[in-house]
Amino acid sequence: MTDPKAIQPSELDQLPDRDPEETAEWQASLDAVTKAAGPHRAAYLMRRTLERAEGAGLALPKLLETDYVNTIPTSAEPTVDGDEEMEQRITAWNRWNAAAMVTRGSKYGVGGHIATFASAAWLYETGFNHFFKGKEGDGSGDQLYIQGHASPGIYARAFLDGRLNEEQLDNFRREAGGNGLPSYPHPRRLPWLWEFPTVSMGLGPISAIYQARFNRYLTSRGIKDLTNSHVWAFLGDGEMDEPESTTALTLASREGLDNLTFVINCNLQRLDGPVRANFKIVQELEAQFRGAGWNVVKSLWGTAWDELFQLDTTGALVRRLREVPDAQVQTYQTRDAAYIREDFFGKDPQLAEMAKLLSDDKILECFHYSRGGHESRKVYAAYKAALAHKGAPTVVLAQTVKGHTLGRGFASKNANHQMKKLSVDEFKDMRDLLGLPIKDSDFVDGVVPYGHPGADSPEVRYLQERRAALGGPAPARRVHPVAPLPAPADKAFASFDKGSGSQNVATTMAFVRLVKDLVRDKETGKRWVPIVPDEARTFGMESLFPSLGIYSPKGQTYEPVDRDQLMYYKEAKNGQILNEGITEAGSMADFIAASTSYATHGEAMIPFYIFYSMFGWQRTADQMWQLGDQLGRGFLVGATAGRTTLTGEGLQHADGHSPAIAATNPAALTYDPAFAYEVATIVKDGLRRMYGEAAPGEDPNVFYYLTVYNEPLPQPAKPSGLGIDEGIVKGLYRFNTAESAGLTPAANAPRIQLLGSGTAIHWALKAQQLLSEEWGVAADVWSATSWTELRRDAMEADAALLRGEERVPYVRQALQGAEGPVLAVSDYMRQVPDQIAQWVEQDWSSLGADGFGLSDTREAARRHFGVDAESIVVAALAQLAGRGEVKATAVKEARERYGL
């Protein structure tokens, strides 16, 4: 019997061999080379053969790793289109000022990072000088996702360009005075410069992918032609460990996003030490990206290495480079030539002979300084190749030295991420290395000076000419003046005012129905961007499939299984729906790209992202913060909301806290509407504020979070009377009184105010009836559409008082004169309604669904948490008994009657 271990993979191939003799000849050739020239030569030939096959488009598995050398050899490098010496001087000034800015700020203890830009300077400068398109040319320009810790270098370039002054540089990380610079790319803090917040690591990569995808979406839908826009994302090699950094790589390759380039600064260091101490991060990333279908360009070694590679006639040098772990490469960076001769070259007799031909200076030049990411011509070649590649995104893996040009005290040291300043002597050494005309006398009282060649100097003129040719300054954020979107016809909103009659309708379905009407609007319908993470059918959105289509760059290449049904699954190149599969992070990245299109592309889009409320804020709150920082606009919809409305689903599906998390985001307007007409009123006002005519003092750069429920219930008609719409928007209005509800309390009956939000108002209405009919208590019911907005208004009133202005919080105005105590209830933890407690003049108490969720019926879950109508009755009686308005025995009697 044949030993299974002896069977080769080729023998297990299911395809018949049409020419076994030819196959045997190929195999024999490989055996012969292995025997005659050794396994290294055989492996070399196989790699070259696989690369040739891949280049010819043969259907073979991809080679996941290539040699640890530059993808583009020196002989194939294109000529740099520019003045390299001039660009060297410009980069020197920027390196100096970036380091000076952080060092000068260190006396205030505000921190800063020097080493990151020092390693990445040429990655940015080459792009700014030759590739990054600005926003003053045709189209929207390029979108740049700048690595957060490199911000001092970007500020330094803006200073050289005349867009920043010395005072602003001196206020780096000191913004309170009004003329400072934020620590990292923060559009909300410096909206004319920064487009994308990136320092929460991992969010830049996923955002860049979905931005490139959204550019294609806008083009395919005929909104705006963005074929000339390119997305560049600058990342750190350590950052690639974040799950968001790599979660969407296959999306980018699957959809052929050749309008996207990742540039990963592989300085081999993260914050505490080597990224892959015992391994090689470049090779790992190459395999990861190539396996995901990306084009990979490696720029690892500078021109000083050319001589060494020419001497490497046996491949020994390439083999040694491939086997040395990253931490040892960092060690070479800090050791002398003798150590490198022994440890690197001495491991192989062929390399030892090579080393005899190299001077100590040559060895140190190669191992201390010469990296592909530190030479403009190497970076230029890599970027040229990236833009030329079609059909797939490209990642440029550029090897650099963290702390390059900052001296031996910084370069490759494990602690350099935390080192915030250079000494005067270190700056003088840096000056000499960079060749800058800065005199010793310019260091007044030990303070390092900023350097500038002059506004009319050749360097500044060259910089500005290059940027003018590329379409203006970069990075830059431009909000082009656009006319407010016309308000949709009022009919779409007013249709909810009459209620649903005897029909039970969940507020989730009410929202979907509203959107169905709004996307049909002739003026604004095309601007809606429905986003859903593979739950469209859960939310009753399948009827949108055939009418709007699901976006796919390939259209529909198959016949859908439900093609003969009315609501079939329709994909289209110009589809409007973004159905992302099971990825909340991807859906949020979609939302961010769409919600900021008004600035990025001068095209206002209206995204709504609907999701299981439990799986929104809890999973992606960091991206919600990114959304607020990027000044995004749109509607987040937490569907199937609440802790007790999902029958049978259990703990991980039961949301009792998303409004509490949302309340922490200053840009989020959080609403918990109870009725369909409230949903319509809130959406209408949101469209006005974000896309229409915002009122004086209103910030349009907000987004709305609405919680909607899957519990079908009768939807009442909108109450008549003044102030209802205002109350819905501001967060509170009286839905009814005991009298208007048709109840007949006694003239001197005790009275209580019941405040309910979302689905909880239905329990409050039932409790209102029980209190009247069984206990002789009159209850008024209020709809609290937004506890958070009530709190913010009250906090603003408090701040006004501190300024000497008289202002009464809206919640106090609304409840003024309301008799009796207040009892608040929601389907969330008590801290959600308790947000407003301190501003309510009446006695306050609350009920909520605190703790973990559980699987059961709605009724059982509500009884468990003590929020059902009967529990509300008991709590109301307890409040009134404490005030002496009902007998204390009534509380015990009610508990026993209702089985509590």
Side-chain angles (χ1 to χ4, degrees):
M1 185 175 179
T2 304
D3 181 4
K5 295 181 181 178
I7 298 176
Q8 299 302 311
S10 60
E11 297 175 82
L12 295 175
D13 198 323
Q14 299 299 304
L15 293 175
D17 191 341
R18 296 187 299 177
D19 192 342
E21 185 176 344
E22 182 184 34
T23 303
E25 290 175 357
W26 277 77
Q27 293 171 334
S29 297
L30 180 63
D31 292 341
V33 170
T34 304
K35 184 176 180 180
H40 293 307
R41 177 60 180 170
Y44 174 86
L45 290 175
M46 288 300 298
R47 286 198 301 274
R48 298 292 89 79
T49 302
L50 285 171
E51 288 172 357
R52 183 64 173 265
E54 183 178 327
L58 299 183
L60 287 174
K62 286 191 173 184
L63 188 67
L64 294 185
E65 284 188 36
T66 60
D67 288 331
Y68 200 63
V69 296
N70 294 349
T71 302
I72 304 168
T74 302
S75 59
E77 291 173 3
T79 302
V80 177
D81 179 24
D83 186 334
E84 292 185 70
E85 182 181 346
M86 182 68 73
E87 292 174 18
Q88 189 84 32
R89 296 206 299 270
I90 290 171
T91 304
W93 285 116
N94 292 338
R95 286 182 180 279
W96 176 272
N97 288 322
M101 179 193 325
V102 177
T103 297
R104 287 167 68 122
S106 66
K107 67 180 180 180
Y108 301 105
V110 294
H113 301 284
I114 299 178
T116 296
F117 178 73
S119 67
W122 277 115
L123 303 181
Y124 292 106
E125 292 296 322
T126 304
F128 286 130
N129 288 328
H130 300 283
F131 295 97
F132 304 156
K133 293 187 287 291
K135 297 185 178 300
E136 295 174 3
D138 295 334
S140 298
D142 288 352
Q143 289 82 59
L144 309 180
Y145 289 78
I146 304 294
Q147 191 179 2
H149 291 136
S151 62
I154 309 305
Y155 290 140
R157 193 170 217 275
F159 170 66
L160 200 66
D161 193 15
R163 294 199 289 164
L164 293 174
N165 56 41
E166 285 195 17
E167 180 186 0
Q168 289 171 301
L169 296 193
D170 263 349
N171 284 329
F172 173 59
R173 290 193 168 205
R174 296 192 300 136
E175 299 177 78
N179 196 30
L181 300 177
S183 52
Y184 302 121
H186 292 307
R188 187 168 284 275
R189 290 299 183 208
L190 201 62
W192 61 267
L193 180 73
W194 298 120
E195 275 196 286
F196 308 110
T198 54
V199 81
S200 186
M201 293 188 186
L203 299 191
I206 190 172
S207 296
I209 290 173
Y210 280 89
Q211 181 66 57
R213 197 278 197 93
F214 190 72
N215 290 359
R216 290 280 173 85
Y217 169 89
L218 289 179
T219 301
S220 297
R221 291 196 53 221
I223 303 292
K224 186 172 185 178
D225 184 357
L226 296 170
T227 52
N228 291 325
S229 283
H230 200 83
V231 178
W232 300 81
F234 290 83
L235 319 167
D237 47 2
E239 180 179 6
M240 299 311 294
D241 284 342
E242 291 285 4
E244 295 89 350
S245 295
T246 56
T247 188
L249 295 185
T250 53
L251 166 72
S253 60
R254 183 170 66 245
E255 298 199 0
L257 299 181
D258 51 23
N259 60 338
L260 169 67
T261 298
F262 275 17
V263 180
I264 302 182
N265 177 18
C266 298
N267 58 33
L268 313 185
Q269 285 184 249
R270 54 190 178 201
L271 275 63
D272 290 332
V275 178
R276 293 289 184 272
N278 299 294
F279 306 92
K280 300 193 80 63
I281 186 59
V282 169
Q283 299 299 87
E284 179 181 321
L285 290 174
E286 179 184 28
Q288 192 170 20
F289 277 88
R290 287 175 70 89
W294 286 53
N295 175 46
V296 178
V297 178
K298 292 194 289 191
S299 182
L300 307 180
W301 309 110
T303 52
W305 284 83
D306 288 349
E307 178 183 343
L308 276 68
F309 287 125
Q310 290 171 0
L311 294 171
D312 183 29
T313 58
T314 64
L317 175 62
V318 173
R319 290 196 301 273
R320 182 65 178 140
L321 288 173
R322 192 166 60 242
E323 70 187 21
V324 175
D326 284 351
Q328 191 64 23
V329 173
Q330 299 295 79
T331 298
Y332 295 149
Q333 183 70 36
T334 62
R335 303 300 290 269
D336 59 20
Y339 178 88
I340 299 171
R341 284 182 186 276
E342 178 181 352
D343 191 85
F344 181 82
F345 293 96
K347 302 292 185 182
D348 185 297
Q350 293 171 319
L351 290 180
E353 289 300 311
M354 178 192 296
K356 293 178 182 178
L357 304 175
L358 304 174
S359 67
D360 284 356
D361 287 345
K362 182 66 175 181
I363 288 175
L364 292 179
E365 180 186 13
C366 288
F367 283 84
H368 284 188
Y369 307 109
S370 187
R371 298 290 189 274
H374 293 325
E375 295 188 14
S376 63
R377 63 179 57 195
K378 301 293 184 185
V379 178
Y380 184 90
Y383 288 3
K384 271 276 192 182
L387 292 179
H389 187 82
K390 300 302 177 185
T394 294
V395 58
V396 174
L397 302 176
Q399 184 165 260
T400 66
V401 175
K402 193 165 186 177
H404 183 60
T405 72
L406 297 179
R408 290 183 179 273
F410 270 79
S412 292
K413 292 294 181 67
N414 282 341
N416 66 16
H417 192 81
Q418 305 302 327
M419 298 165 71
K420 311 299 181 187
K421 60 183 178 179
L422 296 174
S423 67
V424 170
D425 287 340
E426 287 170 328
F427 265 111
K428 291 178 179 178
D429 289 343
M430 182 182 179
R431 171 201 61 190
D432 296 340
L433 176 64
L434 297 176
L436 292 172
I438 297 174
K439 302 185 294 292
D440 286 356
S441 59
D442 292 333
F443 292 81
V444 179
D445 297 327
V447 177
V448 58
Y450 293 120
H452 199 293
D456 195 39
S457 64
E459 293 91 337
V460 173
R461 288 201 306 271
Y462 180 88
L463 182 156
Q464 293 176 343
E465 287 168 3
R466 299 301 300 185
R467 288 312 315 157
L470 287 164
R477 181 178 182 272
R478 297 285 187 271
V479 180
H480 301 284
V482 292
L485 294 183
D490 197 57
K491 180 181 177 182
F493 306 103
S495 64
F496 293 91
D497 291 353
K498 61 184 178 182
S500 64
S502 60
Q503 182 184 6
N504 290 336
V505 177
T507 50
T508 296
M509 296 308 302
F511 177 82
V512 171
R513 181 185 138 193
L514 174 63
V515 169
K516 287 179 184 177
D517 292 338
L518 293 175
V519 296
R520 287 197 289 262
D521 184 83
K522 291 182 179 180
E523 295 290 336
T524 59
K526 68 178 182 178
R527 299 197 173 271
W528 283 87
V529 183
I531 303 168
V532 59
D534 201 38
E535 290 279 5
R537 297 182 192 277
T538 301
F539 308 135
M541 294 174 59
E542 63 268 31
S543 62
L544 296 177
F545 291 167
S547 59
L548 300 184
I550 299 165
Y551 171 72
S552 169
K554 288 192 173 185
Q556 194 150 33
T557 61
Y558 62 93
E559 183 177 353
V561 67
D562 54 359
R563 182 64 179 86
D564 57 345
Q565 297 179 17
L566 181 63
M567 294 184 287
Y568 70 98
Y569 196 81
K570 176 186 175 183
E571 297 188 75
K573 291 183 180 180
N574 64 346
Q576 193 165 349
I577 301 169
L578 293 173
N579 192 323
E580 289 304 351
I582 305 173
T583 168
E584 286 83 6
S587 300
M588 267 306 301
D590 260 337
F591 187 89
I592 292 170
S595 70
T596 53
S597 180
Y598 73 93
T600 308
H601 299 305
E603 295 287 347
M605 305 301 288
I606 312 171
F608 80 86
Y609 164 33
I610 186 168
F611 49 87
Y612 255 91
S613 70
M614 184 65 165
F615 304 142
W617 285 87
Q618 178 161 295
R619 287 198 176 194
T620 57
D622 195 12
Q623 286 177 287
M624 271 79 162
W625 194 268
Q626 178 191 10
L627 166 65
D629 192 357
Q630 201 167 315
L631 290 80
R633 306 170 184 174
F635 297 95
L636 297 176
V637 183
T640 59
R643 182 148 280 165
T644 69
T645 61
L646 275 171
T647 54
E649 287 288 0
L651 185 152
Q652 287 190 318
H653 285 66
D655 171 24
H657 52 281
S658 70
I661 304 175
T664 65
N665 191 310
L669 276 60
T670 303
Y671 286 90
D672 187 26
F675 306 123
Y677 67 80
E678 293 179 350
V679 173
T681 301
I682 293 165
V683 170
K684 180 180 180 180
D685 192 70
L687 290 172
R688 175 200 61 79
R689 176 170 178 172
M690 295 184 291
Y691 300 97
E693 297 284 358
E698 275 188 328
D699 183 3
N701 298 315
V702 295
F703 60 94
Y704 283 65
Y705 176 52
L706 281 72
T707 48
V708 292
Y709 299 82
N710 71 325
E711 186 173 11
L713 291 164
Q715 294 297 324
K718 186 176 184 178
S720 60
L722 297 175
I724 298 297
D725 284 359
E726 179 189 26
I728 291 172
V729 172
K730 288 191 171 182
L732 183 68
Y733 69 97
R734 182 155 50 196
F735 176 73
N736 70 15
T737 64
E739 292 77 9
S740 66
L743 305 173
T744 55
N748 59 348
R751 188 172 289 268
I752 189 168
Q753 308 299 317
L754 301 180
L755 277 57
S757 69
T759 196
I761 202 167
H762 297 281
W763 322 330
L765 289 169
K766 183 179 177 182
Q768 178 189 47
Q769 184 176 0
L770 291 174
L771 283 166
S772 177
E773 295 176 353
E774 300 185 11
W775 305 99
V777 172
D780 300 336
V781 175
W782 299 68
S783 180
T785 54
S786 180
W787 307 102
T788 303
E789 287 305 294
L790 291 173
R791 174 180 175 81
R792 287 176 177 166
D793 171 81
M795 292 172 65
E796 290 172 8
D798 286 354
L801 284 174
L802 291 176
R803 298 191 299 267
E805 304 170 18
E806 288 293 332
R807 181 175 162 190
V808 180
Y810 174 79
V811 64
R812 190 169 294 168
Q813 296 177 43
L815 290 171
Q816 186 174 14
E819 298 178 37
V822 168
L823 173 60
V825 60
S826 78
D827 205 15
Y828 297 95
M829 54 202 307
R830 286 177 59 183
Q831 76 180 61
V832 173
D834 282 349
Q835 292 180 86
I836 67 170
Q838 73 185 82
W839 292 281
V840 174
E841 293 182 316
Q842 293 86 347
D843 291 341
W844 172 273
S845 66
S846 63
L847 297 174
D850 286 80
F852 288 108
L854 76 165
S855 302
D856 214 308
T857 64
R858 293 183 180 117
E859 293 75 15
R862 287 161 187 168
R863 177 56 57 93
H864 169 80
F865 286 110
V867 293
D868 60 352
E870 292 79 6
S871 298
I872 294 173
V873 169
V874 173
L877 293 173
Q879 263 192 295
L880 293 168
R883 295 161 56 96
E885 296 181 22
V886 301
K887 295 180 179 179
T889 56
V891 181
K892 180 181 178 183
E893 182 182 347
R895 281 201 303 265
E896 293 173 349
R897 181 182 301 182
Y898 301 135
L900 298 179

